[in-house]
Amino acid sequence: MHCASRSRFNPSPVAHAALSLVSCTVLGLGHGGMAYAQSPAPSGAQVLQAPGVPGPASPKGGLVPTPLKSSAMLAEQPPGGPGVELPTFVFGNRLSGRPDLETVVDGNAELRRGGSSIRADRLEYDQPTDVVKARGNVRVNSSGNLFNGPELEIKLDTFEGFFTRPDYRFLQNDGYGAADRVDFIDDKRLIAYNATFTTCQRGEGPSWMPAWIVRASTIKFDKETDVGEASGGVLRFMNVPILAAPAFTFPLSDKRKSGLLPPTYVIDTVSGTGLTVPYYFDIAPNRDATLSPTVMSKRGVDLAGEFRYLERSYQGTLRANLLPNDPLRNHSNRWSYNYLHGGVFNTGLKPIGGVGIALNLNRVSDNNYWRDFPRAGTVFTQRLLANDASVTWGRGFFAATLRAGKWQTLQDVTSPITPPYDRLPQFTAAYTRVNVPVAGLSGLDYSISTDYTRFDADRVLTRQPNADRAFALAQISRPWIRPGGYITPKLMVHAATYQFDGPLVNGARSASRTVPTFSLDSGLTFERETGYFGRNFTQTLEPRAFYVHTPYRDQSYLPNYDSGLNAFNFATLFTENAFVGNDRISDANLLTTAVTSRLLDPDTGAEALRLGVAQRLRFKDQRVTLPGAVPVSERLSDLLFGASVNLTPAWALDTTVQYNPKTNISERSTLGSRYNPSNYRAISAAYRRQRNASEQYDVGWQWPINDLWGDKGQALGAGRGQGGGRWYSVGRLNYSVPDKKFVDMVLGLEYDGCCWIGRIVLERNQQSKVTNATRLLFQLEFVGFSRIGANPLKTLKTNIPRYQYLREQSVTPSRFTNYD
């Protein structure tokens, strides 16, 4: 144990002897005087040497001080552990005692061991019992957790003892309080009697009161699990009791714990007033579950649950709901489930190795589920529910997948859906090589992909037979790539065979098709150094030409199981097939040309500006079409313009325009912009139009209302808000021009009261052309304690681009934050 004195006096020989006998080395308490710092010293270190204490010999025969080791980082975890005896450091004005019995420190007394320190006017240490008694202005710092009071008695090794009339402050969430007495069970657990707890920091004035506070007969604080448990407790907000219970628990950090979660209150136009009281089960570090029973005034009790697991090689989530005897649907039982699983299974066979397994199962009880429960989850608000199971395998250049896929289609008599085909089963395999030397030619890329699928659906709805289809695609290319450009010729062969469960129009029960394709892709890149807007840039000019030739093969007699028309955009312009899927291979004799210019930051390579234009030149009509479509005869396609602007981090603009030069009309337009100058200030706007189909405006924002009267707040960083007393407006509006109304809407207000946050959010979703669902959510968040009310945070995060939480702990506080 090393003890140091901060006084300029020489203690008596008795004191020196006593401390020596309790294994103390006293720095500065020898007969020769106090400790001193000797220089020069290594960078970041001081050299301390007690007079009269020998150090290592110098080359000249004298003594040199022993240097302290320099460290750029202090250990977050205090030293020590089972069986480890830590040194004890003692400071004070006057030290006295008896060897092997006791040590007494008077005046500015301080004791340190490991991550704990004790300060007081007087300290008494009893060596046989390892007990410290402290009196007068006692302050304890235990790994950053602070305690202050008049009297302390504690056993150092086990940290067992008591503290009378202390106040306390915890490092993890900056919560604090006071009690008549605190009993320390150990260094991680304590019990406070007639105690209080809050995270509201002290304000000005003698009449200040915390916005919220917990008062309880006892509060147990467990810093190992970061859980507080109040007995006989009352939670008061603005001095009004809002929660009272014989016992309740609350978090001391964001760490998971079993127990009741804050209740959710919702007013919903579909299901009425709802109350949800979730219970969370912290089963294991890699498993948990949540049960969420909901009482709805118009429907009854909905039993909901979620189970999650995470293992080294797999993970999954199961969600399920059961609403028995729904009075709004003829007292039928309503239910739903969603199961996601993904992972790798080790077969134990060396030639095979591991295989990937994925499950995505979704099912609901009836066709009206998506309408009646619009917020049961993103999956269940859709009318097409996927059920997929797949096994994948890969080794070297080979890859294979076995899949089974089945759809549940939720039909609506006012808007029927033709169900997609089930794939029972689907098997795919591929062999891919890149940059392979063949017959003296280097750099060849080639691949062979195969697909066998059994398509199955209700023939009454699809009006065509089901089929077994085998498909193969072989392709070979040779890219020539140089710094200034590239050219890539490619040859492809598509082949497919069908076996139908019923005759086609021509009476055939089988069919086959083979289609070759040749393409040539080429591009150049020119660069120059330039300057715009007072900045230096690297400007590029990138012309590109893409030619495709595919001979015509009649496919009109073939049913369509999975093909659709590719959208006309920059991502699909440079593809060989005009269709997605494998039932239609478009004939083509066309040239796609484009030119792009970009402004790049010469130091970082970040793109500040991109401008592009593209068009297709068709030399022959495209005769292969989807069922019911007409051949494409236009020689020149629409012009496609695109622009992306990111000149400053705060501003961003993206736009795409599909322009018909014959009619001088825009066929499709999208425009999106974003302004995000700082944390909690974000506005996004979008305009989308497709001629004769849809036209919508979309605006989303999060912005401090206080800016209107010049209160700009504080730049505290993400997850910390901008200071107390500030209002924030949040929302997203989606307006349909043809319908002349808002189809989706989220409007809300947030108030940051430092230690509490209030939220009120109105959410409205369009379910059909004549019906919508509206709900009102209200929430009080007691920072560092809990949230009471509905949880609009998920709604805000999902709907509002770049929305930021007002409180979100991203870094665990260091114990040196409150270092004494």
Side-chain angles (χ1 to χ4, degrees), residues 49-319:
Q49 177 65 36
V53 179
S58 70
K60 297 182 179 180
L63 296 177
V64 297
T66 303
L68 296 178
K69 186 177 181 180
S70 175
S71 175
M73 181 179 296
L74 296 173
E76 279 296 334
Q77 186 65 29
V84 178
E85 294 186 5
L86 296 175
T88 301
F89 300 84
V90 176
F91 307 84
N93 294 340
R94 295 178 299 277
L95 288 83
S96 61
R98 294 179 295 169
D100 299 325
L101 293 178
E102 78 275 345
T103 300
V104 179
V105 184
D106 280 304
N108 296 321
E110 181 177 352
L111 182 147
R112 291 180 177 274
R113 179 184 290 183
S116 301
S117 68
I118 303 174
R119 294 184 179 187
D121 294 337
R122 177 184 175 88
L123 288 176
E124 300 177 6
Y125 174 61
D126 185 78
Q127 184 181 0
T129 61
D130 197 34
V131 172
V132 172
K133 296 180 180 180
R135 304 290 185 273
N137 299 312
V138 182
R139 177 181 176 89
V140 175
N141 188 325
S142 177
S143 298
N145 299 299
L146 305 178
F147 302 86
N148 295 278
E151 183 178 358
L152 169 74
E153 183 173 317
I154 198 163
K155 190 172 182 179
L156 285 181
D157 281 343
T158 60
F159 217 76
E160 296 176 76
F162 66 88
F163 211 144
T164 60
R165 301 190 303 279
D167 58 72
Y168 39 82
R169 180 180 294 272
F170 299 111
L171 172 68
Q172 194 71 20
N173 62 356
D174 213 20
Y176 68 96
D180 290 346
R181 175 186 169 108
V182 166
D183 287 346
F184 294 98
I185 308 303
D186 52 36
D187 63 336
K188 300 294 184 183
R189 282 164 284 272
L190 59 97
I191 302 175
Y193 299 92
N194 292 327
T196 63
F197 179 78
T198 183
T199 61
C200 299
Q201 304 307 308
R202 177 76 193 185
E204 298 179 356
S207 61
W208 178 87
M209 289 291 293
W212 68 267
I213 191 170
V214 174
R215 299 183 184 275
S217 56
T218 63
I219 302 180
K220 298 178 181 178
F221 296 98
D222 190 330
K223 291 177 287 181
E224 186 171 49
T225 59
D226 285 330
V227 173
E229 181 180 351
S231 298
V234 177
L235 170 63
R236 305 179 74 90
F237 177 64
M238 298 301 179
N239 208 28
V240 177
I242 61 173
L243 176 64
F248 59 85
T249 62
F250 55 91
L252 299 176
S253 70
D254 291 334
K255 187 181 293 185
R256 306 181 327 184
K257 73 178 186 69
S258 296
L260 286 172
L261 299 177
T264 297
Y265 305 94
V266 177
I267 301 175
D268 193 304
T269 57
V270 176
S271 300
T273 303
L275 171 63
T276 303
V277 184
Y279 192 91
Y280 177 77
F281 294 90
D282 184 15
I283 302 172
N286 62 333
R287 284 183 174 85
D288 63 9
T290 305
L291 297 180
S292 304
T294 301
V295 179
M296 293 176 284
S297 60
K298 295 182 180 181
R299 296 190 181 277
V301 179
D302 178 53
L303 304 175
E306 179 187 67
F307 173 66
R308 302 186 300 177
Y309 55 90
L310 174 64
E311 299 291 344
R312 184 182 298 273
S313 59
Y314 63 89
Q315 61 182 356
T317 302
L318 172 64
R319 300 182 182 92

Side-chain angles (χ1 to χ4, degrees), residues 508-647:
R509 288 181 173 269
S510 64
S512 62
R513 176 210 66 202
T514 302
V515 183
T517 295
F518 170 77
S519 68
L520 182 65
D521 192 8
S522 62
L524 297 173
T525 302
F526 303 96
E527 294 183 356
R528 69 166 184 166
E529 302 303 319
T530 187
Y532 296 103
F533 318 110
R535 294 173 55 185
N536 294 325
F537 290 104
T538 298
Q539 183 178 13
T540 71
L541 183 66
E542 305 168 46
R544 183 177 181 182
F546 181 70
Y547 175 76
V548 179
H549 179 75
T550 303
Y552 171 73
R553 297 290 186 270
D554 183 17
Q555 301 161 56
S556 59
Y557 63 95
L558 294 176
N560 180 26
Y561 298 105
D562 66 355
S563 284
L565 185 65
N566 270 325
F568 188 72
N569 54 46
F570 283 99
T572 60
L573 272 176
F574 302 96
T575 55
E576 289 82 3
N577 192 7
F579 305 104
V580 62
N582 298 317
D583 288 316
R584 293 293 185 272
I585 306 299
S586 62
D587 58 315
N589 186 5
L590 58 84
L591 175 67
T592 302
T593 58
V595 62
T596 302
S597 181
R598 298 184 294 160
L599 293 182
L600 307 176
D601 187 298
D603 297 324
T604 65
E607 185 178 274
L609 176 69
R610 173 193 288 262
L611 301 173
V613 60
Q615 189 176 35
R616 277 178 173 169
L617 172 61
R618 197 178 304 275
F619 302 107
K620 291 180 61 177
D621 293 356
Q622 177 188 314
R623 300 166 59 189
V624 176
T625 65
L626 293 174
V630 298
V632 181
S633 58
E634 290 85 358
R635 291 296 180 259
L636 285 176
S637 73
D638 294 342
L639 281 166
L640 192 63
F641 297 95
S644 176
V645 183
N646 296 274
L647 293 176

